[in-house]
């Protein structure tokens, strides 16, 4: 008879409580699948008195995460407190140094300290599993690390933040304001404690940094990710995208290019017919382009207690099975250093929305400036506000939106052309520029 796997859980919030419940509920199946019983023997959380709706009888309480991590009865330390630093970091280090395995859902901590922790895991023989850190229930880490171990990945991209996708979906479908949608995302428990972390793209950047390391064998480097959030997206961009056959999503994209690996997070126009464009609400999706195979898209719940607990328990099951995968797919010493790819050298199609002077020659001036930079226009739309020709009515021009879609070009060409257009004084305000990602 194999000894049970003894688990200690630090953090009993929504996810921690759900993990305790799931281990209890799935006990027989887990033991059949792993060949061992899995038992929660110790926990720790800020409040012992809080009502959690779970049965903690027979489970001992540790004073703090460090005490739990050092508890000699425990084989697997599960960190579900969150936060990129203390007390999670020291507790995980202590657990790994004593040869225990660690399971965590903490993307911020893995993004910042993942390499150091992976080295400790290698040195002391424990596992360091973090499937829940990216896309919650979607098994994307396993897919990259194990399922595609024999495939050369060219690009991995996706919707990695439920809050942003929820906001963009509701803004598009219900014509609601950004603020209203954000409030609902917070109420439903999708958003981070500080929602700017979601809407400014940093949550996506941390998840992308983890995926890029696994996909390309590079050192995890959050600083190498270019980041732009969704707060500049206006309802008119969502409407224009719809009319032009696109949808706006906050994407994290990591791609091999001739100039190195580009890692970027920004609002992106994706063709309405693409798999990623169909992903609505809090749902996450990741597409992986591998050499010689058609793209693989994984879609599923990327946030919430049950979805996150599902991945955490799967990671615990791997520990029970005795699997000690290299946390980033290969020994830390074999991961290559990576640097930030300069965005001005990024190449792709662009959506540009300008508020232009409604006078003869304006569109020609804009087209000329783009042509000077060798930018080819796929489509150009000029609209009068509410379909009214303001110049004819007032005898003077009010700015009207001009929307352009370009063929593939470089980002510095786009910015040079727009600077020239601004110098020509045919537009007012700042141009809106959104990158296009083709499937
Ligand atoms: N705030 C995150 C999201 C939670 O909205 O996706 C999961 O990491």
């Amino acid at each position: 008879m194999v000894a049970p796997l003894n688990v200690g859980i630090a953090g009993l919030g929504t996810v921690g409580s759900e993990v305790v419940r799931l281990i209890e509920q799935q006990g027989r199946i887990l033991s059949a699948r792993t060949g061992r019983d899995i038992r929660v023997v110790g926990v720790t959380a800020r409040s012992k008195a809080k009502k959690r709706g779970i049965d903690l009888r027979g489970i001992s309480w540790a004073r703090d995460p460090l005490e739990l991590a050092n508890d000699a009865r425990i084989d697997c330390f599960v960190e579900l407190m969150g936060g990129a630093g203390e007390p999670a970091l020291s507790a995980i280090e202590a657990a790994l140094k004593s040869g225990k395995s660690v399971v965590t859902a903490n993307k911020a901590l893995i993004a910042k300290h993942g390499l150091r922790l992976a080295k400790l895991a290698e040195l002391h023989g424990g596992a360091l599993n973090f499937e829940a850190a990216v896309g919650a229930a979607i098994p994307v880490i396993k897919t990259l690390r194990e399922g595609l171990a024999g495939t050369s990945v060219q690009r991995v991209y996706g919707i990695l933040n439920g809050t942003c996708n929820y906001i963009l979906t509701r803004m598009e479908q219900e014509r609601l304001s950004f603020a209203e949608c954000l409030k609902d995302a917070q109420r439903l428990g999708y958003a981070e404690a500080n929602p700017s972390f979601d809407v400014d793209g940093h949550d996506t950047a941390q998840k992308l940094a983890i995926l890029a390391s696994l996909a390309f064998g590079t050192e995890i480097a959050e600083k190498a990710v270019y980041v732009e959030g969704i707060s500049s997206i206006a309802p008119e961009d969502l409407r224009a995208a719809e009319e032009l056959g696109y949808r706006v999503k906050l994407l994290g994209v990591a791609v091999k290019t001739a100039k190195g690996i580009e890692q970027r997070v920004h609002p992106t126009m994706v063709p309405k017919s693409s798999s990623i464009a169909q992903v609505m609400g809090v749902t996450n999706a990741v597409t992986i382009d591998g050499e010689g195979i058609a793209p693989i898209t994984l879609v599923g719940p990327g946030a919430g207690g049950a979805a996150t607990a599902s991945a955490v328990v799967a990671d615990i099951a791997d520990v029970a099975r005795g699997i000690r995968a290299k946390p980033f797919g290969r020994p830390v010493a074999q991961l290559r250093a990576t640097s930030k790819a300069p965005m001005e050298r990024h190449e792709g199609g662009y959506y540009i929305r300008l508020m232009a002077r409604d006078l003869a020659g304006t569109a020609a001036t804009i087209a000329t400036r783009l042509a000077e930079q060798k930018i080819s226009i796929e489509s150009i739309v000029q609209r009068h506000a509410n379909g009214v020709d303001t110049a004819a009515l007032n005898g003077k021009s009010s700015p009207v939106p001009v929307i352009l879609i370009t063929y593939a070009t470089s980002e510095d060409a786009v910015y040079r052309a727009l600077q020239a257009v601004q110098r020509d004084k045919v537009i007012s305000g700042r141009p809106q520029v959104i990158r296009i990602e083709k499937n």
Side-chain angles (χ1 to χ4, degrees), residues 18 33 72 80 91 128 140 186 194 268 304 310 333 371 384 388 392 422:
E18 189 56 29
R33 285 184 170 154
L80 301 170
L128 172 63
V140 61
Q186 286 177 291
N194 173 6
T268 312
S310 158
H384 293 295
V388 175
Q422 280 181 308

Side-chain angles (χ1 to χ4, degrees), residues 10 37 53 80 89 92 106 136 168 204 212 232 240 242 292 310 314 329 382 392 394 402 408 418 423:
D37 283 343
L80 301 170
L89 183 59
I92 290 178
N106 191 334
L168 291 171
T204 303
S232 73
E242 168 79 30
S310 158
Q382 180 180 343
N394 310 332
V402 172
L418 292 179
R423 279 197 300 272

Side-chain angles (χ1 to χ4, degrees), residues 107 133 160-164 190-192 198 203 207 284 302-303:
K107 72 215 144 196
L160 301 173
N161 184 269
T163 300
C164 287
Y190 306 143
E192 298 296 311
D198 295 298
D203 177 78
K207 293 169 180 167
N284 282 195

Side-chain angles (χ1 to χ4, degrees), residues 166-351:
Y166 174 85
I167 291 173
L168 291 171
T169 303
R170 293 201 65 205
M171 280 176 75
E172 182 197 318
Q173 293 183 338
E174 298 173 50
R175 308 260 154 115
L176 293 174
S177 73
F178 176 84
E180 232 170 320
C181 301
L182 174 58
K183 220 182 277 164
D184 280 352
Q186 286 177 291
R187 187 175 51 76
L188 292 163
Y190 306 143
E192 298 296 311
N194 173 6
S196 105
F197 198 67
D198 295 298
V199 299
D200 293 335
H202 302 296
D203 177 78
T204 303
Q206 289 182 339
K207 293 169 180 167
L208 184 71
I210 296 173
L211 295 186
S213 174
L214 286 153
F216 304 120
T218 47
E219 288 178 354
I220 186 167
E222 191 189 344
K223 287 199 181 84
V225 185
Y226 167 84
V227 189
E228 225 179 86
I230 59 166
S231 55
S232 73
I233 299 300
E236 48 266 44
D237 296 318
L238 300 178
R239 261 201 309 281
E242 168 79 30
E243 285 168 21
L244 292 160
Y246 291 91
R247 229 167 235 146
V248 182
K249 299 288 182 190
L250 182 78
L251 289 195
V253 184
V255 59
K256 259 187 205 164
T257 74
K259 297 153 216 145
I261 289 160
E262 213 175 72
Q263 297 183 59
R264 48 190 165 85
V265 173
H266 50 74
T268 312
M269 294 264 185
V270 291
K272 236 195 288 183
S273 57
S274 62
S275 317
I276 217 103
Q278 319 310 317
V279 177
M280 298 299 193
V282 71
T283 306
N284 282 195
V286 185
T287 296
I288 303 161
D289 292 342
E291 204 172 270
I293 54 169
I296 295 167
T297 299
L298 303 166
V299 182
T308 311
S310 158
V312 169
V313 174
D315 274 351
I316 297 172
D318 273 355
V319 175
R321 289 184 183 109
I323 297 171
R324 301 288 180 267
K326 295 276 178 267
F328 294 98
R330 57 195 90 187
V332 173
Q334 288 180 28
L335 297 171
R336 284 174 291 114
T338 185
S339 57
K340 193 167 185 163
M343 279 309 282
E344 57 274 19
R345 291 169 69 190
H346 168 71
E347 287 185 4
Y350 287 81
Y351 157 98

